[in-house]
């Protein structure tokens, strides 16, 4: 019955470019006064909004309220690169292969359920086709390090029976317009989303079906109250029979899994609109998505008017920050590196300004497990997405909704069978060790 305080709220550095290129959002609804509902969800990202949709699918009469600390699509939900990947995507490995064939087969099957869930809601909620496209992706390789990673990953895919195709330098040029890549590994199952458009469209679809979504309503305290929970925000209080925490690494700020979660900051830049003559000179396909063959390299996407303009988006630079924040100096340092990487890949576009640059947070556990379970009676978690939060967040959200409804599914069974996130070394040893490791890995993958 004692109020537990939330120790830290999200702080973002730089503009969430994907959100900035969409039409302005309407003013936010803010929680004010006292309110009650059946199920409250903390966090309006992939996990929280997917949980809300799954709850409505189970029982359209449930009263569901979603609270977010900020505006929709301004958190990592609108700061990511928009790859909804079906295959194993283990960032801590050197080629994305996961924890073994059986595990990777199961995860791939579940990831495809999440992608199917996203495709269904695109149709049902009328999202523009450019916000979710089943386009596949390429693991681009520029150096022998990258080519070797692609070869071992291709062997892993062959063992899993997954379709894939090796591309040579000419084929890479035909897709990307860039002569930078010596080869690539194409896999067909990834969907590319406009992450902010997807999140806003999902939220609008839920709101139209009766879900109340309050933005700029951070949960600052929570307490168990009889047969339910009370959440406190700066201007209101929400009583709920059940609560789902869908706030990824911020789970720790609610007092759970402290000392077990790794907070990595990733950074991205989005160019200004590419002028028509430069676009023609560049060539290549209108939209494509390239992840680096080595997880520590640069992700690159070309987008078109269907996503918010003819632009290129580049993502680079992971570092470990237990406080889940990037300083302006950190961001400026990585933007300079991304500028050099962009110019090396697209010399004909040298000097094209980056219109938006930003940093965002992702949360990993050392043993690559999520936290999708009942934490206390009536309090559930859909958190710790391990770098593939568009897909994994969708899954943990569905799973937490199923748990809250007392439903057993292959998603709940998968996450409930996972181990606890393992304990990390104490601060500051964890930070020093992780950053030294990340710098070394990034140096190894410097051409990628
Ligand atoms: C640059 C970058 C590139 C990335 N690229 C990809 C990619 O291509 N594919 C991919 O799958 N993943 C990618 N990711 C990771 C992905 O963005 C995250 O894993 C994903 O957003 C996690 O989803 P989520 O719903 O769990 O959390 P989030 O999207 O972070 O949503 C959690 C929400 O909780 C809210 N919240 C936190 N605390 C509180 C509180 N106290 N009260 C109320 N609300 C609160 C936050 O405001 C936030 O909106 C990338 C991340 C970054 C930064």
């Amino acid at each position: 019955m004692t109020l537990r305080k939330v120790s830290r709220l999200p702080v973002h550095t730089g503009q969430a470019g994907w959100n900035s290129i969409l039409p302005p959002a309407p003013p936010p609804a803010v929680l004010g006064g006292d309110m009650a509902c059946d199920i409250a969800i903390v966090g309006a990202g992939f996990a929280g909004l997917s949980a809300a949709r799954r709850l409505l699918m189970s029982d359209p009469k449930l009263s569901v309220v979603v609270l977010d600390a900020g505006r929709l699509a301004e958190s990592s939900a609108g700061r990511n690169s928009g790859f909804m990947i079906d295959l194993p995507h283990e960032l801590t490995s050197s080629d994305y292969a996961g924890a073994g064939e059986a595990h990777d087969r199961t995860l791939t099957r579940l990831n495809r359920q999440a992608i199917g869930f996203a495709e269904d809601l695109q149709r049902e909620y009328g999202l523009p086709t450019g916000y979710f496209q089943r386009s596949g992706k390429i693991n681009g390789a520029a150096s022998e390090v990258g080519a070797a990673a692609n070869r071992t990953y291709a062997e892993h895919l062959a063992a899993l029976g997954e379709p894939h195709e090796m591309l040579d330098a000419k084929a890479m040029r035909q897709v990307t317009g860039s002569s930078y890549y010596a080869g690539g590994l194409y896999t067909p199952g990834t969907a590319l989303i406009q992450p902010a458009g997807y999140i806003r469209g999902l939220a609008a679809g839920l709101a139209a079906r009766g879900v109340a979504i309050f933005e700029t309503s951070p949960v600052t305290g929570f307490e168990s109250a009889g047969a339910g929970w009370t959440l406190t925000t700066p201007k209101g209080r929400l009583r709920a029979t059940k609560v789902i925490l869908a706030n990824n690494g911020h789970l720790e700020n609610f007092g759970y899994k402290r000392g077990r979660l790794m907070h990595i900051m990733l950074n991205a830049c989005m160019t200004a609109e590419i002028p028509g003559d430069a676009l023609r000179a560049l060539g290549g396909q209108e939209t494509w998505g390239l992840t680096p063959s080595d997880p520590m390299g640069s992700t690159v996407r070309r987008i078109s008017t269907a996503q918010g303009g003819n632009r290129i988006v580049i993502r680079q630079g992971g570092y470990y920050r237990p406080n889940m924040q990037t300083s302006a100096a950190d961001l400026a340092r990585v933007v300079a590196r991304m500028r050099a990487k962009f110019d090396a890949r697209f010399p004909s576009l040298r000097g094209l300004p980056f219109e938006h640059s930003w940093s965002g947070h992702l949360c990993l556990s050392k043993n690559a497990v999520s936290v999708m379970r009942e934490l206390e009676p009536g309090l559930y978690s859909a958190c710790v997405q391990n770098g593939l939060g568009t897909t994994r967040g969708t899954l943990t959200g569905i799973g937490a909704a199923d748990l809250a409804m007392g439903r057993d599914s292959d998603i709940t069974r998968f996450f409930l069978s996972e181990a606890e996130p393992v304990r990390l070394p104490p601060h500051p040893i964890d930070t020093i060790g992780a950053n030294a490791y990340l710098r070394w890995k990034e140096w190894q993958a410097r051409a990628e």
Side-chain angles (χ1 to χ4, degrees), residues 6 8-10 12 18 41-50 67-85 89 91 192-193 195 199 214 217-221 232-233 246-251 253-254 264-269 291 299 301 314-317 358-363 382-394 396:
V6 173
R8 178 183 282 130
L9 294 175
H12 306 299
W18 295 101
I41 298 171
V42 180
F46 291 91
L49 298 178
S50 302
L67 299 177
D68 200 280
R71 296 304 315 270
L72 284 171
E74 279 294 318
S75 68
S76 296
R79 289 171 181 260
N80 60 76
S81 304
F83 289 75
M84 278 196 111
I85 300 174
H89 190 75
L91 290 187
L192 294 177
I193 59 173
I199 287 290
F214 294 108
S217 303
V219 175
T220 52
T232 310
T233 68
N247 51 352
N248 205 14
H250 291 276
L251 179 66
N253 303 329
F254 282 66
I264 305 287
M265 306 308 293
L266 290 183
N267 307 276
C269 293
T291 42
T299 296
R301 261 186 82 176
I314 181 161
R315 198 273 304 147
Q316 168 71 31
W358 65 90
S359 188
H361 166 223
L362 64 87
C363 176
C383 296
V384 191
Q385 321 299 5
N386 285 292
L388 194 54
T390 62
T391 321
R392 185 76 71 98
T394 303
T396 57

Side-chain angles (χ1 to χ4, degrees), residues 5-58:
K5 286 206 167 132
V6 173
S7 59
R8 178 183 282 130
L9 294 175
V11 175
H12 306 299
T13 306
Q15 306 147 304
W18 295 101
N19 207 22
S20 306
I21 60 176
L22 294 179
V30 179
L31 181 74
D34 280 358
M35 194 175 168
C37 66
D38 295 322
I39 303 196
I41 298 171
V42 180
F46 291 91
L49 298 178
S50 302
R53 175 170 151 80
R54 180 66 160 196
L55 290 170
L56 286 195
M57 288 164 77
S58 294

